[in-house]
Amino acid sequence: MSKAERPGRARAGKQAGAPAADGTSEDVAGRAGNRAGEGGGGVEGVEGRAGHGPARLAVRKTYKLYIGGAFPRSESGRSYAVASSRGDFLANASKASRKDARDAVTAARKAFGGWSGATAYNRGQILYRVAEMLEGRRAQFVAELAETGTKKAGEVVDAAVDRLVWYAGWSDKIAAVAGSTNPVAGPYFNISSPEPTGVVAVVAPDEPLLGLVSVIAPVIVTGNTCVVIASERAPLPSITLAEVLATSDLPGGVVNILTGSVAEIAPWLAAHMDVNALDLTGVADEGLAVTCEEAAAENLKRVFRPAATDWSADPGTRRLTAFLETKTVWHPTGV
């Protein structure tokens, strides 16, 4: 496949002129051809090389954040260049600021009541819909993962779809596994039932799709909302996933995705008093992890900091129960 045909450079999977989630449109074929001239600073496009028209400048897109179901620019106006595994320019990604992180937490808190109050069955159906939408854009995800150097990108995308379906199936079953009816010495029913923790700040791993799905799905299927810091090295699949979420049935604010510097954003989320839990899966720096844990202690956040994870392995229920709180109810018998 030639460079002009490679879909990863041009956000593959979108039809020419088709609207993106943020209302923009792209000519995929034109952008793919324009990438060919970027490496050496050239501006020759497909039409220019073929001799059928004037040369075109490459259209370099800056991808936005995903907050509250919308795609705002960073309030700081900052962005950074995203490169492929070969060092080729792919796109610009917004560099989120402290203010963006606060806005994302506000959106997640606003969405929590409605999402946690939805039935477990309904949450599972929505997650299943996300899996359907992701599979419908399989070619685009494969192309983007290939640009990050991911081997067997097609298998990784299929595994991400399967992981979403797997977690969707747990939505109305985890309460039976994590809850219990407890024997007590008295004329009472004693029932323990799991409930969502609240707003969870998640640092996504550098596995840009399967890892990303594996940290988001268990958080939201159990009724939590989240603010996710995407992989700093390879953020484009996370932005494409945001477009999938925006066009699925998931309410705005349930998932909020920030791109930028983990070292800059994570401590602010860890210290935010309206964040209830923290997932440090993607924090590789030991010092940064300790800093976040210390900040999280201020309001007794639940902190989840797992060891190295094999994302292709059976995930089990550990992540499903990591951000659940147990409520125990006493009720007199015979009433």
Side-chain angles (χ1 to χ4, degrees), residues 22 63-75 94 100 103 257-258:
D22 58 359
Y63 291 96
K64 301 172 187 175
L65 309 173
Y66 181 56
I67 299 175
F71 291 86
R73 294 177 174 84
S74 171
E75 62 82 28
S94 292
D100 297 319
D103 290 344
I257 299 179
L258 306 176

Side-chain angles (χ1 to χ4, degrees), residues 17-28:
D22 58 359
T24 62
S25 64
E26 302 172 4
D27 184 336
V28 175

Side-chain angles (χ1 to χ4, degrees), residues 101-115:
R102 290 204 307 267
D103 290 344
V105 173
T106 299
R109 177 57 63 190
K110 184 177 179 180
F112 176 69
W115 183 245

Side-chain angles (χ1 to χ4, degrees), residues 99-229:
K99 174 65 164 55
D100 297 319
R102 290 204 307 267
D103 290 344
V105 173
T106 299
R109 177 57 63 190
K110 184 177 179 180
F112 176 69
W115 183 245
S116 62
T119 65
Y121 177 80
N122 180 243
R123 290 197 297 266
Q125 288 293 296
I126 290 175
L127 210 64
Y128 191 88
R129 176 59 178 163
V130 174
E132 292 178 335
M133 299 289 289
L134 195 157
E135 188 164 45
R137 299 179 70 165
R138 183 180 186 278
Q140 181 177 0
F141 280 105
V142 168
E144 290 178 346
L145 290 178
E147 293 286 8
T148 69
T150 301
K151 300 183 185 302
K152 299 182 179 179
E155 294 181 11
V156 172
V157 177
D158 292 342
V161 173
D162 293 345
R163 186 64 50 85
L164 282 167
V165 173
W166 190 84
Y167 276 120
W170 271 104
S171 62
D172 56 357
K173 302 173 183 64
I174 189 62
V177 174
S180 63
T181 301
N182 313 308
V184 293
Y188 300 98
F189 293 116
N190 185 267
I191 301 170
S192 294
S193 177
E195 292 192 343
T197 296
V199 176
V200 182
V202 180
V203 182
D206 243 358
E207 170 60 51
L209 182 61
L210 181 56
L212 178 69
V213 165
S214 297
V215 296
I216 292 177
V219 169
I220 64 174
V221 81
T222 49
N224 299 289
T225 57
C226 63
V227 178
V228 182
I229 307 175

